[in-house]
Amino acid sequence: MGILSWIVFGLIAGAIAKWITPGEDPGGCLITIIIGVIGGVLGGWIGTQLGFGDISGFNVKSFLLAIAGSVILLLIYRAVKRK
């Protein structure tokens, strides 16, 4: 259930990341959702590496990690795409 939960979290986290970091995205809504999914997986991996626990399912800590990973990835995407 670990990777599946990060994908679902990522779908939601992509929308929340877009809300947290408003602005015009170069790729539109679909790219934001994809970034959310990848950011959710990235946030889960980083959280696991930093010792916040393993990917165990749906909980608040996991959801916050997914949002953080999505925001970070969205900001990186914007910085790279605008150059």
Side-chain angles (χ1 to χ4, degrees):
M1 175 132 150
I3 195 71
L4 180 61
S5 64
W6 285 112
I7 291 172
V8 172
F9 278 154
L11 289 171
I12 299 167
I16 293 174
K18 173 70 174 147
W19 179 72
I20 290 173
T21 57
E24 200 168 314
D25 290 324
C29 187
L30 181 63
I31 297 297
T32 303
I33 291 172
I34 293 170
I35 287 174
V37 172
I38 296 169
V41 174
L42 176 68
W45 181 78
I46 290 172
T48 302
Q49 298 302 314
L50 293 177
F52 293 132
D54 58 349
I55 302 171
S56 58
F58 296 100
N59 57 42
V60 174
K61 177 180 66 172
S62 299
F63 190 60
L64 293 175
L65 286 171
I67 293 171
S70 298
V71 168
I72 290 168
L73 199 58
L74 183 60
L75 291 173
I76 291 170
Y77 176 76
R78 286 179 181 174
V80 169
K81 195 66 177 175
R82 296 212 193 273
K83 289 187 177 192

